[in-house]
Amino acid sequence: MTETIEVLYDEATLSKRNEELATSIATAGYKKLLVVAVLKGSFIFAADLLRALYRAGVPLEVEFMSLSSYGTGTKSSGTVKVVRDIEVIVKGRDVLLIDDILESGRTLAFARNLLLERGANRADVAVLLDKPGKRVAEINADYVGFECPDKFVVGYGMDKAHSYREVPFVGYLP
Ligand code: IMP
Ligand code: MG
């Protein structure tokens, strides 16, 4: 039996928003842009946004970083660990971090600080969803797809206990 997932952002809405985000990223004037996608949650968003950036005429290099702050539950554990690091030198690069959700902000504040400590010129942040009401760390995203209602969402790369990442839209379990 498949569970019903309530749709929050459907495929057409996500696709349209990705093109808009790419257009605004294109106007920021990044030089030698290094995109760092934070795995696992951002993998579908990053794949779509990167292709939208191609259409918007933004050349880039992409790397992946796995960070973990959640176990299998739906509450952040508070500590962030690098599970898999990027493989390039970031010193002197313009970096754009891509993640699925900015919630407490601990994950992205950690990643951003790490890249700046390594000498990145700038480390901007693009997230699909922002849950501003839940912020603990001092960080805001430079690009936000949608301001998300305070629900635990799944799909489009995002999981609940390792399931639902493959769902092609963003939704929540009723
Ligand atoms: P933060 O460190 O609290 O900002 O956590 C952000 C990370 O927690 C995201 O990158 C997601 O991996 C995960 N997360 C937060 N809220 C949700 C949700 O509603 N659904 C799925 N994952 C979530
Ligand atoms: Mg994540």
Side-chain angles (χ1 to χ4, degrees), residues 70 99-101 103-107 131 151-153 159:
Y70 276 57
D99 206 354
D100 53 357
I101 305 190
E103 195 179 49
S104 77
R106 285 192 193 99
T107 311
K131 290 182 181 171
K151 290 182 185 301
F152 195 83
V153 298
D159 74 310

Side-chain angles (χ1 to χ4, degrees), residues 38-42 67 69-70 99-101 107 165:
V38 180
L39 298 176
K40 302 171 190 165
S42 76
L67 299 174
S69 64
Y70 276 57
D99 206 354
D100 53 357
I101 305 190
T107 311
R165 291 197 197 273

Side-chain angles (χ1 to χ4, degrees), residues 77-150:
S77 67
T79 38
V80 183
K81 283 187 295 195
V82 179
V83 178
R84 179 200 185 279
D85 209 339
I86 56 170
E87 296 171 350
V88 297
I89 290 164
V90 298
K91 194 170 166 50
R93 303 287 301 267
D94 287 352
V95 178
L96 179 67
L97 276 158
I98 299 186
D99 206 354
D100 53 357
I101 305 190
L102 183 56
E103 195 179 49
S104 77
R106 285 192 193 99
T107 311
L108 280 168
F110 173 89
R112 189 166 184 274
N113 290 339
L114 185 68
L115 294 165
L116 291 173
E117 276 167 19
R118 290 178 181 176
N121 276 343
R122 58 197 281 189
D124 289 355
V125 170
V127 291
L128 178 66
L129 305 176
D130 189 7
K131 290 182 181 171
K134 293 288 193 76
R135 202 78 86 250
V136 173
E138 255 188 59
I139 185 162
N140 282 307
D142 302 279
Y143 309 94
V144 174
F146 304 94
E147 202 166 291
C148 181
D150 186 17

